[in-house]
Amino acid sequence: MQKVLVTGGTGYIGSHTIVDLINNGFEVISIDNFSNSDEKTLDGIQKITGRQVRNYQVDLCDIDRTRAVFVENPNIVGIIHFAALKSVEESVFQPLRYFHNNNESLINILTCANEFGVPNFIFSSSCSVYGNAKELPVTEATPFQEAESPYARTKQMGEKIIEDFTKVTKEVRAICLRYFNPAGAHQSALIGESPRTKASNLVPVITETAIGKRTSMTVFGSDYDTRDGSCVRDYIHVMDLAAAHTACLRYLMAEKNTAPNEIFNVGIGDGVTVLEAINAFEKVTGQKLNYTIGPRRAGDVVSIYANRDKAERLLGWIPMRDIEEIMRSAWAWQCKVGS
Ligand code: WQD
């Protein structure tokens, strides 16, 4: 079987992508230092796939220990690089920690890809690179606006590092995937979103409020220029997002790429407001949600959602799950985890 290295493999998107890769016949190894994830996620992956995934508990900022993983695992066909600090809020207060961790780890993993001849590289980027986009839906050609946070800036910088690297390193082909708002969980409820840090993203806040882990939640602003006054986002089910990574790997392995580095939006191509997301949760679960309308949250963009035509045209990737399936699977996971 062809071997793929997933960094951040016990994280939310990493773990779901490993399941999809294994289900598509790949052998997978992971590098994760568990700084924002739980080792028990590996048990969930094994229960779903029947395969024990080897994880190397290595900090990617330590290049010697990172290199050692490649020495032990020759012939890796691809790297999917998820490992990064990803809290928008935290990055505002700890910019140097975010620039050091996210950029240093990317440079190290690219260095190893080059030294060990790994031909295919997929980078976990984010729709936050667009900032407050002037046109909607955003396409891959939509120019960056000012990053709204140091986190977003590390993703803008990451894409530029990869662009300059692949211009001179012809042996490595890369794809940067710009995720919109990942949410939901694997249908088995054996894996899901389980950060070590307190969740701040909308969907886990909704499910934690519904199960009583939080007494209530706040809708950050209802006076925006949108159809119901609350912000618009493109919520994409994590298993659809996982499938996009496998599609990218196959695309690169078949050498179908039209440039050394290509960008793809990965969203469902539709915008859902915060209040519509809450209504979807209440509809599919029958749970009444205890929320209040509060002030706007600093750093929020009013509205962003994807034009995903390029991914469908070139990768043959089409998302299959809507906001109601996101809420159904997120609630099943929350009920499994408990309060
Ligand atoms: C969504 C909407 C909030 C919580 C971030 C990152 C992005 C990506 C996904 C990593 C906003 C509103 C939220 C709450 C609320 N991260 N909200 N009450 O900020 O769109 O995107 O996470 O890849 O890069 O920027 O996601 O879920 O925090 O917010 O009203 O308690 O829900 O104001 O409008 P966001 P989010």
Side-chain angles (χ1 to χ4, degrees), residues 78-102:
I79 297 168
I80 305 181
H81 180 49
F82 293 104
L85 296 172
K86 65 162 197 171
S87 165
V88 170
E89 206 171 0
E90 184 181 66
S91 75
V92 171
F93 300 101
Q94 301 177 33
L96 296 184
R97 176 171 170 240
Y98 269 68
F99 288 127
H100 175 260
N101 181 79
N102 290 6

mmCIF file of all heavy atoms in Angstrom, residues 78-102:
data_model
loop_
_atom_site.group_PDB
_atom_site.id
_atom_site.type_symbol
_atom_site.label_atom_id
_atom_site.label_comp_id
_atom_site.label_asym_id
_atom_site.label_seq_id
_atom_site.Cartn_x
_atom_site.Cartn_y
_atom_site.Cartn_z
ATOM 1 N N GLY A 78 3.100 10.933 -0.124
ATOM 2 C CA GLY A 78 2.501 12.264 0.032
ATOM 3 C C GLY A 78 2.472 12.685 1.491
ATOM 4 O O GLY A 78 2.481 11.834 2.399
ATOM 5 N N ILE A 79 2.473 13.989 1.686
ATOM 6 C CA ILE A 79 2.343 14.577 3.024
ATOM 7 C C ILE A 79 1.110 15.460 3.029
ATOM 8 O O ILE A 79 0.913 16.254 2.095
ATOM 9 C CB ILE A 79 3.570 15.454 3.374
ATOM 10 C CG1 ILE A 79 4.840 14.618 3.420
ATOM 11 C CG2 ILE A 79 3.360 16.177 4.720
ATOM 12 C CD1 ILE A 79 6.113 15.467 3.477
ATOM 13 N N ILE A 80 0.267 15.276 4.053
ATOM 14 C CA ILE A 80 -0.854 16.214 4.252
ATOM 15 C C ILE A 80 -0.578 16.921 5.574
ATOM 16 O O ILE A 80 -0.520 16.284 6.630
ATOM 17 C CB ILE A 80 -2.210 15.491 4.275
ATOM 18 C CG1 ILE A 80 -2.390 14.662 2.992
ATOM 19 C CG2 ILE A 80 -3.336 16.521 4.399
ATOM 20 C CD1 ILE A 80 -3.716 13.916 2.889
ATOM 21 N N HIS A 81 -0.357 18.229 5.483
ATOM 22 C CA HIS A 81 0.155 18.982 6.632
ATOM 23 C C HIS A 81 -0.964 19.788 7.306
ATOM 24 O O HIS A 81 -1.329 20.867 6.857
ATOM 25 C CB HIS A 81 1.268 19.921 6.174
ATOM 26 C CG HIS A 81 1.856 20.749 7.273
ATOM 27 N ND1 HIS A 81 2.265 20.217 8.480
ATOM 28 C CD2 HIS A 81 2.102 22.089 7.351
ATOM 29 C CE1 HIS A 81 2.732 21.190 9.258
ATOM 30 N NE2 HIS A 81 2.647 22.323 8.601
ATOM 31 N N PHE A 82 -1.494 19.211 8.412
ATOM 32 C CA PHE A 82 -2.548 19.895 9.187
ATOM 33 C C PHE A 82 -1.980 20.605 10.419
ATOM 34 O O PHE A 82 -2.538 21.571 10.887
ATOM 35 C CB PHE A 82 -3.572 18.865 9.705
ATOM 36 C CG PHE A 82 -4.392 18.199 8.656
ATOM 37 C CD1 PHE A 82 -4.127 16.890 8.261
ATOM 38 C CD2 PHE A 82 -5.450 18.863 8.058
ATOM 39 C CE1 PHE A 82 -4.897 16.251 7.301
ATOM 40 C CE2 PHE A 82 -6.236 18.232 7.094
ATOM 41 C CZ PHE A 82 -5.957 16.930 6.721
ATOM 42 N N ALA A 83 -0.880 20.049 10.968
ATOM 43 C CA ALA A 83 -0.418 20.465 12.294
ATOM 44 C C ALA A 83 -0.156 21.968 12.334
ATOM 45 O O ALA A 83 0.671 22.478 11.583
ATOM 46 C CB ALA A 83 0.861 19.695 12.652
ATOM 47 N N ALA A 84 -0.877 22.663 13.199
ATOM 48 C CA ALA A 84 -0.685 24.126 13.370
ATOM 49 C C ALA A 84 -1.531 24.572 14.560
ATOM 50 O O ALA A 84 -2.479 23.888 14.945
ATOM 51 C CB ALA A 84 -1.135 24.881 12.129
ATOM 52 N N LEU A 85 -1.156 25.721 15.111
ATOM 53 C CA LEU A 85 -2.025 26.362 16.114
ATOM 54 C C LEU A 85 -3.109 27.073 15.325
ATOM 55 O O LEU A 85 -2.824 27.692 14.303
ATOM 56 C CB LEU A 85 -1.198 27.336 16.951
ATOM 57 C CG LEU A 85 -0.089 26.705 17.794
ATOM 58 C CD1 LEU A 85 0.782 27.784 18.414
ATOM 59 C CD2 LEU A 85 -0.677 25.789 18.861
ATOM 60 N N LYS A 86 -4.389 27.009 15.796
ATOM 61 C CA LYS A 86 -5.447 27.484 14.901
ATOM 62 C C LYS A 86 -6.518 28.351 15.587
ATOM 63 O O LYS A 86 -7.569 28.619 15.019
ATOM 64 C CB LYS A 86 -6.138 26.280 14.262
ATOM 65 C CG LYS A 86 -6.868 25.410 15.224
ATOM 66 C CD LYS A 86 -7.864 24.539 14.491
ATOM 67 C CE LYS A 86 -8.882 23.971 15.433
ATOM 68 N NZ LYS A 86 -9.968 23.303 14.741
ATOM 69 N N SER A 87 -6.216 28.831 16.802
ATOM 70 C CA SER A 87 -7.235 29.668 17.426
ATOM 71 C C SER A 87 -7.058 31.126 17.001
ATOM 72 O O SER A 87 -6.032 31.756 17.309
ATOM 73 C CB SER A 87 -7.157 29.581 18.955
ATOM 74 O OG SER A 87 -7.907 30.634 19.528
ATOM 75 N N VAL A 88 -8.078 31.638 16.323
ATOM 76 C CA VAL A 88 -8.028 33.029 15.865
ATOM 77 C C VAL A 88 -7.849 33.954 17.067
ATOM 78 O O VAL A 88 -6.982 34.818 17.105
ATOM 79 C CB VAL A 88 -9.340 33.351 15.105
ATOM 80 C CG1 VAL A 88 -9.465 34.818 14.826
ATOM 81 C CG2 VAL A 88 -9.416 32.531 13.831
ATOM 82 N N GLU A 89 -8.681 33.706 18.079
ATOM 83 C CA GLU A 89 -8.687 34.573 19.287
ATOM 84 C C GLU A 89 -7.320 34.535 19.981
ATOM 85 O O GLU A 89 -6.723 35.561 20.285
ATOM 86 C CB GLU A 89 -9.778 34.021 20.224
ATOM 87 C CG GLU A 89 -10.384 35.011 21.165
ATOM 88 C CD GLU A 89 -11.618 34.397 21.880
ATOM 89 O OE1 GLU A 89 -11.940 33.220 21.602
ATOM 90 O OE2 GLU A 89 -12.219 35.091 22.693
ATOM 91 N N GLU A 90 -6.782 33.322 20.184
ATOM 92 C CA GLU A 90 -5.508 33.149 20.910
ATOM 93 C C GLU A 90 -4.359 33.803 20.136
ATOM 94 O O GLU A 90 -3.454 34.393 20.708
ATOM 95 C CB GLU A 90 -5.231 31.656 21.078
ATOM 96 C CG GLU A 90 -4.002 31.322 21.890
ATOM 97 C CD GLU A 90 -3.789 29.813 21.972
ATOM 98 O OE1 GLU A 90 -3.517 29.168 20.916
ATOM 99 O OE2 GLU A 90 -3.927 29.275 23.084
ATOM 100 N N SER A 91 -4.441 33.710 18.792
ATOM 101 C CA SER A 91 -3.330 34.236 17.980
ATOM 102 C C SER A 91 -3.186 35.747 18.149
ATOM 103 O O SER A 91 -2.082 36.296 18.047
ATOM 104 C CB SER A 91 -3.557 33.905 16.496
ATOM 105 O OG SER A 91 -4.556 34.729 15.925
ATOM 106 N N VAL A 92 -4.293 36.418 18.437
ATOM 107 C CA VAL A 92 -4.234 37.893 18.599
ATOM 108 C C VAL A 92 -3.334 38.246 19.788
ATOM 109 O O VAL A 92 -2.589 39.235 19.757
ATOM 110 C CB VAL A 92 -5.661 38.460 18.773
ATOM 111 C CG1 VAL A 92 -5.633 39.923 19.162
ATOM 112 C CG2 VAL A 92 -6.475 38.238 17.496
ATOM 113 N N PHE A 93 -3.404 37.403 20.847
ATOM 114 C CA PHE A 93 -2.638 37.708 22.072
ATOM 115 C C PHE A 93 -1.261 37.048 22.073
ATOM 116 O O PHE A 93 -0.403 37.400 22.871
ATOM 117 C CB PHE A 93 -3.448 37.269 23.300
ATOM 118 C CG PHE A 93 -4.777 37.968 23.408
ATOM 119 C CD1 PHE A 93 -5.956 37.327 23.021
ATOM 120 C CD2 PHE A 93 -4.835 39.293 23.805
ATOM 121 C CE1 PHE A 93 -7.183 37.983 23.070
ATOM 122 C CE2 PHE A 93 -6.064 39.961 23.860
ATOM 123 C CZ PHE A 93 -7.233 39.306 23.492
ATOM 124 N N GLN A 94 -1.024 36.072 21.168
ATOM 125 C CA GLN A 94 0.264 35.365 21.152
ATOM 126 C C GLN A 94 0.831 35.298 19.723
ATOM 127 O O GLN A 94 1.099 34.205 19.195
ATOM 128 C CB GLN A 94 0.088 33.946 21.704
ATOM 129 C CG GLN A 94 -0.454 33.899 23.136
ATOM 130 C CD GLN A 94 -0.669 32.463 23.610
ATOM 131 O OE1 GLN A 94 0.070 31.550 23.230
ATOM 132 N NE2 GLN A 94 -1.690 32.274 24.437
ATOM 133 N N PRO A 95 1.011 36.453 19.080
ATOM 134 C CA PRO A 95 1.409 36.428 17.660
ATOM 135 C C PRO A 95 2.729 35.718 17.421
ATOM 136 O O PRO A 95 2.841 34.920 16.494
ATOM 137 C CB PRO A 95 1.484 37.905 17.285
ATOM 138 C CG PRO A 95 1.586 38.647 18.559
ATOM 139 C CD PRO A 95 0.874 37.834 19.593
ATOM 140 N N LEU A 96 3.755 35.953 18.273
ATOM 141 C CA LEU A 96 5.072 35.348 18.000
ATOM 142 C C LEU A 96 5.010 33.829 18.133
ATOM 143 O O LEU A 96 5.623 33.090 17.356
ATOM 144 C CB LEU A 96 6.122 35.926 18.960
ATOM 145 C CG LEU A 96 6.396 37.427 18.833
ATOM 146 C CD1 LEU A 96 7.523 37.837 19.759
ATOM 147 C CD2 LEU A 96 6.707 37.795 17.373
ATOM 148 N N ARG A 97 4.224 33.340 19.109
ATOM 149 C CA ARG A 97 4.071 31.883 19.258
ATOM 150 C C ARG A 97 3.450 31.292 17.986
ATOM 151 O O ARG A 97 3.869 30.250 17.478
ATOM 152 C CB ARG A 97 3.186 31.587 20.477
ATOM 153 C CG ARG A 97 2.879 30.123 20.683
ATOM 154 C CD ARG A 97 2.192 29.864 22.015
ATOM 155 N NE ARG A 97 1.698 28.492 22.106
ATOM 156 C CZ ARG A 97 0.404 28.158 22.274
ATOM 157 N NH1 ARG A 97 -0.529 29.122 22.383
ATOM 158 N NH2 ARG A 97 0.020 26.901 22.324
ATOM 159 N N TYR A 98 2.478 32.010 17.429
ATOM 160 C CA TYR A 98 1.808 31.512 16.209
ATOM 161 C C TYR A 98 2.730 31.597 15.000
ATOM 162 O O TYR A 98 2.854 30.634 14.239
ATOM 163 C CB TYR A 98 0.500 32.296 15.980
ATOM 164 C CG TYR A 98 -0.680 31.621 16.643
ATOM 165 C CD1 TYR A 98 -0.763 31.565 18.033
ATOM 166 C CD2 TYR A 98 -1.663 30.974 15.901
ATOM 167 C CE1 TYR A 98 -1.814 30.911 18.661
ATOM 168 C CE2 TYR A 98 -2.734 30.325 16.515
ATOM 169 C CZ TYR A 98 -2.795 30.297 17.884
ATOM 170 O OH TYR A 98 -3.827 29.623 18.497
ATOM 171 N N PHE A 99 3.447 32.712 14.833
ATOM 172 C CA PHE A 99 4.347 32.807 13.676
ATOM 173 C C PHE A 99 5.454 31.757 13.775
ATOM 174 O O PHE A 99 5.776 31.080 12.806
ATOM 175 C CB PHE A 99 4.930 34.224 13.578
ATOM 176 C CG PHE A 99 3.935 35.254 13.133
ATOM 177 C CD1 PHE A 99 3.721 36.404 13.868
ATOM 178 C CD2 PHE A 99 3.174 35.050 11.987
ATOM 179 C CE1 PHE A 99 2.774 37.349 13.466
ATOM 180 C CE2 PHE A 99 2.221 35.980 11.575
ATOM 181 C CZ PHE A 99 2.028 37.130 12.316
ATOM 182 N N HIS A 100 6.011 31.607 14.985
ATOM 183 C CA HIS A 100 7.093 30.624 15.138
ATOM 184 C C HIS A 100 6.579 29.214 14.876
ATOM 185 O O HIS A 100 7.096 28.492 14.023
ATOM 186 C CB HIS A 100 7.702 30.702 16.543
ATOM 187 C CG HIS A 100 8.724 29.637 16.770
ATOM 188 N ND1 HIS A 100 8.466 28.478 17.452
ATOM 189 C CD2 HIS A 100 10.005 29.518 16.323
ATOM 190 C CE1 HIS A 100 9.539 27.699 17.454
ATOM 191 N NE2 HIS A 100 10.489 28.317 16.764
ATOM 192 N N ASN A 101 5.534 28.826 15.574
ATOM 193 C CA ASN A 101 5.069 27.430 15.467
ATOM 194 C C ASN A 101 4.588 27.104 14.057
ATOM 195 O O ASN A 101 5.027 26.125 13.435
ATOM 196 C CB ASN A 101 3.913 27.185 16.447
ATOM 197 C CG ASN A 101 3.431 25.732 16.385
ATOM 198 O OD1 ASN A 101 4.059 24.849 16.947
ATOM 199 N ND2 ASN A 101 2.343 25.486 15.657
ATOM 200 N N ASN A 102 3.701 27.928 13.529
ATOM 201 C CA ASN A 102 3.073 27.556 12.246
ATOM 202 C C ASN A 102 4.046 27.659 11.087
ATOM 203 O O ASN A 102 4.075 26.787 10.212
ATOM 204 C CB ASN A 102 1.835 28.431 12.004
ATOM 205 C CG ASN A 102 0.701 28.080 12.959
ATOM 206 O OD1 ASN A 102 0.887 27.253 13.873
ATOM 207 N ND2 ASN A 102 -0.458 28.701 12.793
#
